[in-house]
Amino acid sequence: MSLSRIMKWITGGCEAFLGIPFIGGAFIFSTTWGALFIMFILHMVTLFIARNEKGSIAGNVLGMVTSFIGVIPIIGMIMHIITAIVLLIDAAINKH
């Protein structure tokens, strides 16, 4: 399994956690939005790895956007869920 695929599983799982109603929001608030900054960095690292491996980068670009939008409570939760779905499907399908 490639490093980009492993990182997509990890970032997708983290996004799924952050998308859980109330729990994900409480976690983000408890870290004073530090979780969103960490996720942005993880998505950027995964994007560079995927690009170097000639893999798909769409899920991680979406994740970087979600890290900014994640400060808006309801919309952020929806974006985290969508991003998690995109990343997990990409990790499952991607053979790189």
Side-chain angles (χ1 to χ4, degrees):
M1 187 179 301
S2 70
L3 182 58
S4 66
R5 194 169 177 200
I6 292 167
M7 289 298 292
K8 287 177 184 181
W9 281 114
I10 292 169
T11 55
C14 291
E15 288 290 347
F17 172 74
L18 294 176
I20 298 172
F22 303 111
I23 296 171
F27 181 75
I28 291 169
F29 289 137
S30 73
T31 62
T32 56
W33 291 275
L36 296 177
F37 178 72
I38 298 297
M39 286 306 298
F40 182 84
I41 299 298
L42 283 173
H43 285 302
M44 192 175 354
V45 168
T46 306
L47 181 140
F48 289 129
I49 292 169
R51 192 178 69 187
N52 287 339
E53 294 180 359
K54 308 283 192 265
S56 171
I57 61 169
N60 292 107
V61 171
L62 180 61
M64 292 168 71
V65 171
T66 299
S67 294
F68 284 108
I69 295 175
V71 299
I72 305 169
I74 304 294
I75 296 170
M77 178 190 70
I78 293 167
M79 288 298 295
H80 285 300
I81 293 168
I82 292 169
T83 302
I85 292 168
V86 169
L87 282 167
L88 294 173
I89 289 173
D90 189 25
I93 293 174
N94 187 6
K95 300 299 180 198
H96 289 102

